[in-house]
Amino acid sequence: MTNISTPTGRQASIERTRRVRDGLRRRHLHEALFKGFGLAAIIAALGFVAILFTDVLIKGIPAFTQANLHLEATFDPAIIDVGPAPVRTAGQSDADFRAASLGWQRDVALLNWNKVVEASLRAAAPAGFEIDSRQILTVAETNARHVLREMFVNDPSLLGQTIKVDLLASANADNWVKGNIDRELGDAQQQLSAPARALIDIFEENGTISMGFAWSIFTNVDSRAAPASAGLAGAFMGSLFMMVIVILLAVPIGVASAIYLEEFAPKSRLTDLIEVNINNLAAVPSIVFGLLGAAVFINYFKLPLSAPLAGGLVLTLMTLPTIIIATRGALQGVSPALRQAALGMGASKTQMVFHHVLPVTFPSILTATIIGVAQALGETAPLLLIGMNAFVASIPATPLDQATALPVQIYLWQANENRNFFEARTSAAILVLLGFMILLNAIAILLRTRLERRA
Amino acid sequence: MDMLAGKVKMTQQSVNNGMNPTDMLERPIRLHAKDVTVHYGAKQALFGISIDIPDRAVTSFIGPSGCGKSTFLRCINRMNDTIEGAKVRGLIELDGEDIYDPALDVVELRARIGMVFQKPNPFPKSIYENVAYGPKIHGLARSKSDLDEIVVSSLRKAGLFEEVKDRLNEPGTGLSGGQQQRLCIARAIAVGPEVILMDEPCSALDPIATAIIEELIDELRENFTIVIVTHSMQQAARVSQKTAFFHLGKLIEEGVTEDIFTNPVNKQTQDYIMGRIG
């Protein structure tokens, strides 16, 4: 073996170069392999994201349009056989008048409003079209009778009049118009009867049915009986309430504890223990937080089940470690020079933190907070355990009312047996949730770049 | 050695011709330290430092890296308090008052003893805000116009006003290194301290910026007691009237700058000045 370490002679120099060159080939190969692996990983990841988004978009976008029926409804006195709405007479007490009104409304509700719906559908059908009552009613959504009844209760003078109304077509009709249903299938496999399918085609041709933007997704609450009118309004408000609770509780508590731990707490076993525990809490499965919430907030503090307040508290617990860890990271990143400058000027520790350290770290704390809140908003598991997967058919007015949340709504719709319709609704809900998340993240990015430019 | 001493003496005279050595020794004592020791955890960093620092003169601490000169400087405004595990023993008095007295508020102390750091560290705020910060937190300005006056006069004293007067609202971090350091000096003097500590204030600056700061230190001497840590012997010779040489956590020799550089008593001081240690 030649001793190449002694730099003498041309021969040794050539040998040295040869060895370096041999090694070079191997090193370049390693680099190329690693780069190739990284690139393949990126392509695979992007591919999966693309598949997810394409699928959700293809299924979800059609759900944002919906078949509407434009009918002329007659409030036929023969069907609406009810006395005049009570008018308040002089000397009548509040309670008496309310009782009379409610009695009248009950009478109105007991009428067969489906007959009004049927009559208006028949009026739009060609003369002599043969279809029975049950079949023709499958064209309109089942909530049509409630819509007409509400109109009458609000305006009893409609009795005997014929007015134009827009009603939702049924989910099956909607799918038929959109072409989601195979027309070749036999009658036995079709959800809609043959005359109903024929009538829908006629309606589509004569303009009685038209496609419109499905505002109902945003304005209506969830519905089981009338899938075409099921909307996200209730879930959206539930999520909004929870978001507000998380921001109001998790942000101040999280940021304050991070500041205390990082800037003021003496270094001791106790603070070390607290730190380890906070880091571990961030890794606790979210469903465990749900159990904790059920045990503490529902069973012990007796908060109402399914309330956004309980949900918000559970999500606050879940978000706290994220915010604390991120804030501490941001505080640790502040250069010691800035702290020394402030202390050297005679600033107290609190002044140092609030005048200098926090303004510098504010953008990263804000970003971490928004990401934490967005994460909480997308959380489903803990909410299931505190009853937020209940079917709620009203928009919550306060955080103490029963509600559900956007991701839970997705879960509920996905599990619905009426797949034919709800698959599209589920994708639409996913799109709304994603839109909400993108909005939050966009706000985070915008605020951060703004604040960083100013600093 | 004579040659080097002669050179040092010349540069010293060119900048520092306002005061003769005997004058300096007769000045009142502003800061008095006795038997100061510092431990960082188990490690002892300073061994029984005793020194007197004269009023309205520049005192420089010299010595090789890690000799404890910065550690001692940081004892004077209690910046060592902020370091975990640092323990300071001994006596340091400012005008006869023990600065480690538990009754004394460290915030008040730091208003009386300002500090300029090795790397320029202006706040990431406007030039105006940088200078106004100290007077604001200490409540020194009665009104906005008061504050404006303090800011302008501090910038003037730091020789920066003419360069920045049109951009007081621009960030201080946008200035050049030398300007940033003068901004830090302006920030320190805005509070009206009695003593200014400077921890290698020119080590991150180019020669021209260094010369400007040195001139400024010489002017500030009229109104402030200045203690400067430097690793440059030439700088110590140029700007200071009193010099203390530190080595391995001990104060080896202190005295009138001219004497230390021309006539050191201690062998170690001699070796350092000749460039044999350091």
Side-chain angles (χ1 to χ4, degrees):
Chain A
M1 187 182 155
T2 51
N3 184 5
I4 64 155
S5 61
T6 34
T8 47
R10 187 163 161 68
Q11 202 56 41
S13 152
I14 289 169
E15 171 68 10
R16 226 171 12 240
T17 313
R18 195 186 62 76
R19 288 197 186 183
V20 170
R21 200 172 291 151
D22 285 356
L24 264 186
R25 214 173 298 137
R26 204 181 59 241
R27 284 190 289 193
H28 286 318
L29 184 70
H30 280 176
E31 192 174 320
L33 272 176
F34 187 75
K35 269 187 183 166
F37 186 72
L39 197 65
I42 289 282
I43 290 170
L46 283 181
F48 288 132
V49 172
I51 289 170
L52 172 74
F53 272 83
T54 322
D55 186 60
V56 167
L57 285 174
I58 286 175
K59 284 183 178 155
I61 286 177
F64 287 107
T65 59
Q66 204 162 15
N68 292 302
L69 290 163
H70 312 288
L71 300 171
E72 297 203 338
T74 306
F75 292 84
D76 186 355
I79 305 170
I80 308 169
D81 182 18
V82 71
V87 182
R88 187 159 190 183
T89 52
Q92 195 179 23
S93 76
D94 268 354
D96 285 349
F97 176 68
R98 207 177 309 125
S101 289
L102 285 175
W104 179 77
Q105 280 183 32
R106 195 163 48 243
D107 291 343
V108 171
L110 285 172
L111 299 169
N112 190 353
W113 285 90
N114 269 339
K115 282 196 175 157
V116 183
V117 178
E118 185 189 336
S120 55
L121 282 168
R122 278 197 196 283
F129 188 85
E130 289 213 5
I131 184 166
D132 70 29
S133 301
R134 198 182 50 77
Q135 287 170 345
I136 199 169
L137 281 172
T138 60
V139 174
E141 189 47 281
T142 52
N143 72 338
R145 60 180 193 270
H146 305 309
V147 174
L148 293 176
R149 189 188 70 206
E150 283 300 309
M151 287 172 76
F152 177 69
V153 168
N154 291 334
D155 183 9
S157 68
L158 286 173
L159 191 66
Q161 292 189 44
T162 299
I163 57 163
K164 280 188 191 305
V165 289
D166 285 344
L167 296 171
L168 287 174
S170 72
N172 284 326
D174 181 59
N175 275 312
W176 182 259
V177 173
K178 281 177 184 163
N180 292 346
I181 296 171
D182 187 355
R183 292 182 175 240
E184 305 305 316
L185 286 177
D187 274 355
Q189 281 126 328
Q190 290 283 7
Q191 302 263 351
L192 291 163
S193 61
R197 292 184 331 251
L199 184 61
I200 292 167
D201 286 342
I202 294 169
F203 277 172
E204 203 187 346
E205 236 160 80
N206 69 13
T208 305
I209 284 183
S210 72
M211 300 304 286
F213 188 77
W215 291 109
S216 61
I217 288 188
F218 300 99
T219 55
N220 285 7
V221 290
D222 192 13
S223 170
R224 285 184 171 173
S229 77
L232 288 169
F236 187 85
M237 279 310 288
S239 279
L240 204 66
F241 276 131
M242 288 197 287
M243 188 178 91
V244 170
I245 290 167
V246 170
I247 290 175
L248 286 183
L249 290 178
V251 176
I253 296 176
V255 173
S257 25
I259 290 173
Y260 179 77
L261 284 174
E262 199 53 45
E263 306 284 343
F264 295 100
K267 291 274 168 288
S268 70
R269 282 233 172 134
L270 185 68
T271 43
D272 283 350
L273 191 76
I274 291 173
E275 187 176 341
V276 169
N277 274 305
I278 288 173
N279 290 341
N280 284 340
L281 272 182
V284 167
S286 56
I287 197 149
V288 176
F289 284 104
L291 277 174
L292 177 84
V296 175
F297 299 129
I298 308 283
N299 283 346
Y300 189 76
F301 287 110
K302 305 285 179 214
L303 289 184
L305 265 173
S306 314
L309 179 63
L313 288 172
V314 168
L315 294 181
T316 298
L317 290 181
M318 224 195 67
T319 317
L320 268 178
T322 315
I323 292 182
I324 294 177
I325 291 172
T327 306
R328 291 190 68 178
L331 292 175
Q332 278 163 4
V334 175
S335 86
L338 181 65
R339 293 165 192 276
Q340 284 185 344
L343 290 177
M345 289 303 299
S348 69
K349 222 164 177 185
T350 319
Q351 286 173 327
M352 172 192 88
V353 170
F354 285 93
H355 294 170
H356 302 288
V357 176
L358 271 191
V360 175
T361 49
F362 187 69
S364 25
I365 292 176
L366 189 82
T367 316
T369 303
I370 293 183
I371 288 172
V373 170
Q375 219 173 34
L377 266 186
E379 201 54 69
T380 320
L383 301 182
L384 300 182
L385 291 173
I386 53 165
M388 293 199 75
N389 56 339
F391 170 73
V392 180
S394 60
I395 297 177
T398 70
L400 286 166
D401 295 339
Q402 291 195 326
T404 177
L406 283 175
V408 178
Q409 190 66 71
I410 292 170
Y411 168 79
L412 289 173
W413 282 353
Q414 169 63 24
N416 191 289
E417 63 281 1
N418 197 346
R419 304 268 326 216
N420 193 16
F421 181 79
F422 275 104
E423 226 169 50
R425 270 298 201 250
T426 308
S427 299
I430 291 174
L431 285 179
V432 172
L433 183 63
L434 285 180
F436 203 37
M437 299 287 165
I438 290 171
L439 185 75
L440 277 182
N441 284 310
I443 291 173
I445 292 167
L446 193 81
L447 281 175
R448 190 167 66 171
T449 44
R450 269 252 173 111
L451 291 168
E452 272 174 354
R453 205 179 311 139
R454 215 178 54 186
Chain B
M1 186 189 152
D2 280 343
M3 248 183 72
L4 176 76
K7 214 167 154 192
V8 165
K9 205 172 160 191
M10 250 181 64
T11 45
Q12 185 190 356
Q13 275 175 345
S14 60
V15 179
N16 178 20
N17 47 13
M19 193 189 287
N20 72 51
T22 41
D23 249 20
M24 203 272 294
L25 290 181
E26 281 159 14
R27 282 180 173 270
I29 301 302
R30 205 70 211 253
L31 275 162
H32 166 73
K34 193 157 169 47
D35 283 330
V36 175
T37 60
V38 173
H39 286 82
Y40 289 127
K43 189 176 166 284
Q44 185 162 5
L46 281 185
F47 299 83
I49 308 295
S50 299
I51 189 171
D52 287 333
I53 290 172
D55 186 32
R56 276 185 258 176
V58 179
T59 304
S60 64
F61 296 169
I62 59 169
S65 297
C67 67
K69 53 193 191 301
S70 287
T71 303
F72 182 62
L73 189 78
R74 297 166 65 92
C75 289
I76 300 174
N77 69 344
R78 292 181 56 178
M79 282 300 272
N80 279 330
D81 288 14
T82 61
I83 296 170
E84 204 79 34
K87 223 175 226 117
V88 181
R89 285 201 200 85
L91 176 74
I92 301 178
E93 287 178 343
L94 173 62
D95 296 331
E97 241 183 292
D98 179 6
I99 65 163
Y100 280 88
D101 185 344
L104 183 129
D105 195 323
V106 68
V107 166
E108 183 202 314
L109 175 74
R110 290 187 190 139
R112 291 174 66 189
I113 305 182
M115 187 156 188
V116 176
F117 294 86
Q118 188 168 355
K119 252 180 78 184
N121 57 354
F123 298 129
K125 298 175 193 287
S126 71
I127 294 171
Y128 182 94
E129 285 291 322
N130 261 283
V131 184
Y133 182 68
K136 260 191 202 163
I137 58 169
H138 294 299
L140 300 181
R142 292 260 167 274
S143 63
K144 177 82 174 75
S145 59
D146 243 16
L147 193 62
D148 289 348
E149 214 179 294
I150 294 176
V151 170
V152 171
S153 76
S154 304
L155 284 170
R156 260 190 225 289
K157 280 186 210 153
L160 190 62
F161 185 68
E162 289 304 317
E163 290 161 62
V164 300
K165 62 182 174 190
D166 299 324
R167 44 178 175 152
L168 288 178
N169 288 319
E170 283 171 34
T173 42
L175 297 172
S176 75
Q179 289 173 324
Q180 284 189 19
Q181 197 61 301
R182 275 181 283 153
L183 178 61
C184 291
I185 293 173
R187 183 176 71 183
I189 58 187
V191 182
E194 294 147 46
V195 180
I196 301 175
L197 309 176
M198 298 185 174
D199 190 356
E200 301 192 21
C202 302
S203 64
L205 304 181
D206 62 73
I208 293 169
T210 301
I212 295 172
I213 301 257
E214 283 179 7
E215 249 172 76
L216 172 61
I217 292 172
D218 204 53
E219 283 165 22
L220 292 176
R221 182 185 78 190
E222 309 266 319
N223 298 308
F224 303 97
T225 301
I226 295 173
V227 185
I228 178 171
V229 163
T230 173
H231 58 235
S232 152
M233 283 176 283
Q234 287 80 0
Q235 186 170 66
R238 283 194 296 264
V239 301
S240 72
Q241 287 77 51
K242 178 169 180 167
T243 297
F245 170 63
F246 286 73
H247 188 46
L248 299 174
K250 294 190 179 93
L251 177 61
I252 305 296
E253 189 171 348
E254 52 143 326
V256 176
T257 301
E258 226 178 86
D259 293 346
I260 295 278
F261 280 96
T262 53
N263 219 352
V265 178
N266 191 288
K267 173 84 171 57
Q268 277 175 313
T269 318
Q270 219 173 70
D271 286 349
Y272 181 68
I273 286 165
M274 293 300 291
R276 280 188 220 118
I277 47 173

